[in-house]
Amino acid sequence: MSEENELLRYLWIVRRWLWLVLLTTFLAAGVVLVVNLYTAPVYSAAATLLIKPAPSVTNIDYTSALPSERLVRTYIQMIPSPSVLGKVIEQLGLQESPGNLAKRVKVQAVGDTLVVRLSVEDTDPARAALLANTIAEVFIAQNRALQEDRYTASLSSMRDQLDETAALIAATQAQIEAMGTPETPEERTELARLETVLASYRNTYANLLQGYEQMRLAAGMTSDNVLLFQPAEVPGAPVRPKTLNNTAMAGAVGLVLGLIASFLIEYLDDTIKSPDDAQRDLGLGTLAMIGRFNRADGELVTLADPLSPAAEAFRLLRTNLWFSSVDQPVRKVLITSPGPLEGKSVVAANLGVVIAQAGLRVAVVDADLRRPRQHHIFGIHSRGGLSRSVMEGTTDGRVHPGPLEGLALLPAGELPPNPVELLASRRMSALLEELAGQVDVVLIDSPPILPIADAIVLAQRVDGVVLVLEAGKTSRTAARQAVERLEQVGGRLFGVVLNGVPFRRGGYYYYYYNRYYNQYYSPRKRKGNRKKRPQTDDLASQGSGEGVQGSGQEKPSA
């Protein structure tokens, strides 16, 4: 198969299963749309925190950035902790647990920076922004208190020492003031001692005060600060569900699933549907593709509606049948199928009609001695017929004239108890030779190949076999087995006829053929044509008359 035909086949598969593709697409999109419409919208508000690590006068290199990165990761774990969220729930009066709130809080670092993004989801946009800002403020307050606790004890101890030293200084100062002006040597010695003690206390106080201030400065410098860099704002649109995006994505997924299902069904479909299938699986060409037609006016569509596409397909079958055997004349043709109900009897009857319309003499023989159909199709009685003719060795008086000149019919007759032995007898061979001497073509409608051996027996007594397959119904396995059985007995296969091809499912071959025929041979076009169209189309006449004569087949006398 060429690349162009392969592409057309893929397009045909999509066209055939377009309803399935559309169904899966709209079903998936519709389900997701309904679910999204009935889902409460969720809003997300985000606050941005800036982490300022304590300055360091040493290690100003790459290694100094490592503690900052670890600090960011630590804060990311601390922010959604129960201690922080519990305080937030208490402060806002929420009726939920810290664990449930933590599921709606997301904290992440922005790249390789010291910026942390704190986002909160909620069905209420204003509450989402309030939660984000409150969580940030509570964490900042707790972190500040935690940092200050590192120097609280030392600062408190130093303040106590300062207060004690200040009290000693005040007491010593009061003693000095109470002594007044010393008069005796002892008083002067005591005053000097008190002044020395006061100076010592003052010196101690100054040192303590200096240490206290240095410790306060160190606490401020070494503590890590977290700032609310960008407060959360009330979001205007929900983050989910994104109805349009979700519906479009679901539709795309449904489309892909529909396409996959279509190609999977075709891959698993074990039936013959197109001429390519017949050529690839059976190694046989397709003589014609017979479309489905309205049987309200009978099964002889070539008589009831000779301008229909189905009737034109039978004329195409007639022409291709002649050209399928150029070196040898086609006198006896067996028409059969792998299984029952595949339309072989209707094909045989209409083929006989179009051969007669081409001016040739043709005999349609109903050799299906189990479930005969030809007498129903042509509306004749089945008395006598083939079974009686074989037993008596002559067809005298049992061949019925057809509905048009040149067409003769030999019905099955009474159903014998031994149809295989009857068809395999020498009298049957002599009977076929007798008919072939009276007409130009003998068409034999036989039983199916696979259930019984009747068709295998007849295949050895004819010039060739036409295998009728119902498009989309006949399995590849059954068709292969039928071909193998015919080849085992030396049967010659002219090709296959695809019967019952739907207009929409018949593939691109039948689509183009039907389009061509409707354009040039429809009754509407014919009415506008000044030249009257002959009863028999030129191509069919040339194919059946001149083509046969040119190949060496002479038209015998009746």
Side-chain angles (χ1 to χ4, degrees):
M1 184 186 297
S2 64
E3 294 183 0
E4 182 180 359
N5 288 342
E6 188 71 19
L7 178 60
L8 288 175
R9 185 172 185 272
Y10 291 150
L11 293 177
W12 167 71
I13 292 175
V14 174
R15 181 174 176 266
R16 175 184 178 184
W17 295 102
L18 183 60
W19 66 270
L20 178 61
V21 176
L22 294 178
L23 177 63
T24 56
T25 300
F26 286 108
L27 183 61
V31 170
V32 172
L33 177 62
V34 171
V35 171
N36 280 261
L37 291 177
Y38 282 91
T39 301
V42 177
Y43 297 86
S44 177
T48 304
L49 302 178
L50 176 62
I51 299 176
K52 297 176 62 178
S56 176
V57 295
T58 60
N59 296 332
I60 306 177
D61 54 11
Y62 170 75
T63 58
S64 63
L66 296 179
S68 300
E69 295 179 0
R70 289 195 291 267
L71 184 63
V72 171
R73 292 195 294 269
T74 302
Y75 284 168
I76 290 176
Q77 298 299 321
M78 292 174 61
I79 291 175
S81 63
S83 60
V84 175
L85 299 183
K87 184 66 175 178
V88 172
I89 292 173
E90 179 183 356
Q91 185 173 332
L92 297 179
L94 302 178
Q95 300 297 324
E96 65 177 319
S97 64
N100 290 335
L101 179 58
K103 297 177 181 178
R104 299 188 284 118
V105 177
K106 184 178 181 181
V107 185
Q108 58 184 359
V110 181
D112 296 330
T113 65
L114 299 178
V115 177
V116 174
R117 187 175 184 272
L118 166 64
S119 60
V120 180
E121 294 183 350
D122 198 280
T123 55
D124 186 349
R127 187 167 55 195
L130 178 61
L131 280 170
N133 292 329
T134 305
I135 292 174
E137 293 170 357
V138 169
F139 174 72
I140 291 173
Q142 290 188 358
N143 181 70
R144 183 181 299 113
L146 183 63
Q147 296 295 337
E148 290 177 353
D149 286 345
R150 297 168 55 188
Y151 293 91
T152 300
S154 298
L155 289 174
S156 177
S157 176
M158 292 187 70
R159 179 170 290 280
D160 291 342
Q161 294 179 20
L162 284 172
D163 293 340
E164 182 181 353
T165 303
L168 292 175
I169 292 174
T172 305
Q173 184 68 37
Q175 290 180 6
I176 293 175
E177 292 177 355
M179 288 183 65
T181 302
E183 294 180 356
T184 63
E186 291 80 3
E187 292 178 351
R188 286 193 292 270
T189 301
E190 181 64 20
L191 179 61
R193 186 188 67 82
L194 291 175
E195 289 177 349
T196 301
V197 171
L198 179 61
S200 175
Y201 286 157
R202 287 178 175 174
N203 185 44
T204 300
Y205 184 85
N207 292 332
L208 288 173
L209 182 60
Q210 182 180 1
Y212 179 79
E213 294 297 333
Q214 288 178 351
M215 185 172 293
R216 288 183 57 191
L217 180 61
M221 293 182 62
T222 58
S223 62
D224 298 316
N225 296 323
V226 181
L227 303 178
L228 182 57
F229 181 74
Q230 180 66 48
E233 298 180 354
V234 178
V239 292
R240 67 174 187 273
K242 296 182 178 179
T243 304
L244 182 60
N245 293 342
N246 293 343
T247 303
M249 185 175 297
V253 172
L255 175 66
V256 173
L257 291 179
L259 291 174
I260 293 175
S262 301
F263 284 100
L264 183 61
I265 292 173
E266 288 295 324
Y267 177 77
L268 298 177
D269 186 6
D270 185 35
T271 59
I272 304 293
K273 297 180 290 297
S274 68
D276 287 332
D277 294 340
Q279 184 65 46
R280 180 178 59 252
D281 299 322
L282 307 178
L284 297 175
T286 300
L287 299 175
M289 298 181 69
I290 312 299
R292 295 177 181 175
F293 55 88
N294 185 8
R295 302 193 180 189
D297 298 330
E299 296 177 301
L300 294 176
V301 65
T302 49
L303 289 178
D305 191 5
L307 298 179
S308 65
E312 184 65 21
F314 281 110
R315 286 189 281 270
L316 180 63
L317 170 60
R318 176 193 62 197
T319 303
N320 288 336
L321 184 61
W322 297 150
F323 285 105
S324 64
S325 179
V326 178
D327 297 331
Q328 298 180 3
V330 179
R331 303 296 299 275
K332 294 173 290 184
V333 180
L334 178 67
I335 300 177
T336 185
S337 61
L341 304 177
E342 297 189 60
K344 61 177 181 57
S345 298
V346 176
V347 171
N350 283 278
L351 178 60
V353 171
V354 295
I355 291 177
Q357 288 176 344
L360 295 179
R361 294 168 298 173
V362 57
V364 178
V365 179
D366 193 348
D368 191 344
L369 302 181
R370 300 174 189 270
R371 296 182 61 181
R373 287 269 296 128
Q374 294 299 331
H375 64 286
H376 291 296
I377 295 175
F378 284 97
I380 60 176
H381 65 81
S382 185
R383 292 188 298 272
L386 178 63
S387 58
R388 182 66 61 182
S389 299
V390 174
M391 287 186 291
E392 297 182 0
T394 179
T395 61
D396 291 343
R398 298 183 180 91
V399 177
H400 297 258
L404 70 162
E405 184 180 357
L407 176 61
L409 308 171
L410 181 59
E414 296 83 359
L415 302 184
N418 55 343
V420 178
E421 290 77 5
L422 198 67
L423 297 177
S425 63
R426 293 181 180 179
R427 291 185 178 182
M428 180 65 184
S429 299
L431 181 66
L432 293 178
E433 292 297 331
E434 177 186 347
L435 287 174
Q438 297 174 0
V439 297
D440 299 317
V441 183
V442 178
L443 299 179
I444 306 170
D445 177 16
S446 77
I449 298 175
L450 297 183
I452 48 182
D454 300 27
I456 301 300
V457 171
L458 291 172
Q460 306 174 54
R461 290 168 167 75
V462 296
D463 299 325
V465 179
V466 173
L467 188 63
V468 179
L469 309 176
E470 186 174 4
K473 299 293 184 180
T474 306
S475 67
R476 291 182 173 90
T477 303
R480 290 194 194 101
Q481 291 178 357
V483 172
E484 290 173 0
R485 290 192 181 185
L486 291 172
E487 292 176 346
Q488 287 174 358
V489 298
R492 179 187 177 191
L493 278 163
F494 289 137
V496 302
V497 173
L498 290 180
N499 186 39
V501 180
F503 285 93
R504 292 182 179 272
R505 294 176 49 199
Y508 44 88
Y509 301 97
Y510 194 86
Y511 170 75
Y512 286 125
Y513 164 75
N514 185 54
R515 177 182 175 186
Y516 169 82
Y517 179 80
N518 284 336
Q519 181 176 358
Y520 291 99
Y521 292 97
S522 65
R524 183 183 305 173
K525 295 292 182 180
R526 186 173 178 267
K527 289 179 180 180
N529 194 346
R530 295 182 179 179
K531 295 182 179 180
K532 185 177 181 181
R533 186 174 179 266
Q535 179 68 23
T536 304
D537 56 283
D538 296 337
L539 178 61
S541 299
Q542 295 174 5
S544 59
E546 299 175 6
V548 172
Q549 295 174 3
S551 62
Q553 179 178 350
E554 297 179 359
K555 184 175 179 180
S557 58

